[in-house]
Amino acid sequence: DVVMTQSPVSLPVTPGEPASISCRSSQSLLDSKGYNYLDWYLQKPGQSPQLLIYLASSRASGVPDRFSGSGSGTDFTLKISRVEAEDVGIYYCMQGLHTPRTFGQGTKVEIK
Amino acid sequence: QVHLQESGPGLVKPSETLSLTCTVSGGSISGDYWSWIRQPVGKGLQWIGRIYTSGNTNYDPSLKSRVTMSVDTAKNQFTLRLTSVTAADTAVYYCATGSKHGSGYDYIDSWGQGTLVTVSS
């Protein structure tokens, strides 16, 4: 299975400040068409995960533009330009190129 | 966007079979793929597998010998069966579906609320 490794595990943030989460995969997620099959999810406390970013950099419907995704191959980053209080929760990356799909262990974002 | 709702027993005895149903509303189950994902309490997410309405399936190899997924298009439902359960199968189980990108990639963008299944005697 493809191993997804996120860092940091915990991320204390200050509202209004930027934040960044890294995700690395043990195999390339770049397909022959040039797409990176990497998605980002946010699981808010007590809720189901919600899609933020798909194909590494495409923002899902309704997701604020302060969220952005980048990267290719095996190294990916989720950035929040200015953190808001509602952004707290656990962020997961997930690869969708290889079966089974696998998730990172999660990054817990909390307000300082 | 479709609404997904999981249902099934919250308690299953060890060695027995876990069965869950996901009811789809707000759209047709036909012509799409449907997934199951689980999350042990306080832990991360595990993709269990997915089924296309054609019947084609993809399962996590570590669970493949115990997992069966099926679709009932008449009822707009799909189901998960997991046999020979142990305490390690205790988790919140989510059903999910997604959208198809022009590249052919199916990304997961709709989740049910999840249902806790505890394996205990």
Side-chain angles (χ1 to χ4, degrees):
Chain A
D1 296 1
V2 176
V3 178
M4 306 297 291
T5 304
Q6 291 181 229
S7 61
V9 172
S10 178
L11 182 60
V13 296
T14 300
E17 293 296 307
S20 179
I21 300 170
S22 172
C23 176
R24 289 187 171 178
S25 59
S26 61
Q27 297 179 38
S28 177
L29 304 184
L30 181 65
D31 84 333
S32 58
K33 300 176 185 176
Y35 291 98
N36 286 280
Y37 284 24
L38 187 285
D39 306 326
W40 288 97
Y41 294 89
L42 165 60
Q43 187 172 32
K44 296 182 178 182
Q47 297 185 17
S48 304
Q50 59 186 84
L51 179 68
L52 298 175
I53 302 288
Y54 63 95
L55 290 173
S57 60
S58 295
R59 206 176 299 114
S61 177
V63 174
D65 60 8
R66 64 179 181 273
F67 291 95
S68 64
S70 63
S72 184
T74 61
D75 291 324
F76 301 91
T77 302
L78 176 71
K79 292 183 179 178
I80 310 174
S81 59
R82 292 174 305 279
V83 173
E84 297 189 4
E86 65 181 23
D87 299 336
V88 298
I90 302 176
Y91 289 76
Y92 295 96
C93 60
M94 186 201 78
Q95 67 81 19
L97 183 61
H98 307 277
T99 298
R101 296 194 180 192
T102 47
F103 293 86
Q105 79 277 27
T107 294
K108 187 173 185 178
V109 171
E110 50 194 3
I111 300 296
K112 284 182 181 176
Chain B
Q1 202 172 29
V2 296
H3 178 74
L4 306 173
Q5 180 67 58
E6 305 89 349
S7 59
L11 181 65
V12 181
K13 290 183 169 57
S15 79
E16 295 190 346
T17 297
L18 177 161
S19 292
L20 295 174
T21 297
C22 184
T23 300
V24 179
S25 57
S28 172
I29 198 170
S30 297
D32 216 330
Y33 82 97
W34 307 90
S35 299
W36 290 96
I37 295 162
R38 69 181 182 179
Q39 184 174 36
V41 176
K43 296 188 178 181
L45 298 161
Q46 180 186 15
W47 184 85
I48 300 171
R50 64 182 184 180
I51 181 168
Y52 287 87
T53 48
S54 63
N56 290 339
T57 55
N58 300 111
Y59 298 144
D60 184 324
S62 70
L63 298 171
K64 188 174 184 177
S65 64
R66 299 194 291 130
V67 170
T68 303
M69 296 181 185
S70 60
V71 172
D72 186 335
T73 54
K75 293 184 177 179
N76 239 34
Q77 295 176 332
F78 61 106
T79 62
L80 168 70
R81 292 182 75 250
L82 183 65
T83 62
S84 305
V85 297
T86 69
D89 296 309
T90 294
V92 174
Y93 285 76
Y94 296 98
C95 58
T97 189
S99 300
K100 198 171 193 71
H101 184 260
S103 65
Y105 181 49
D106 295 297
Y107 56 91
I108 299 172
D109 63 359
S110 296
W111 298 64
Q113 66 182 28
T115 187
L116 175 62
V117 178
T118 301
V119 179
S120 175
S121 55

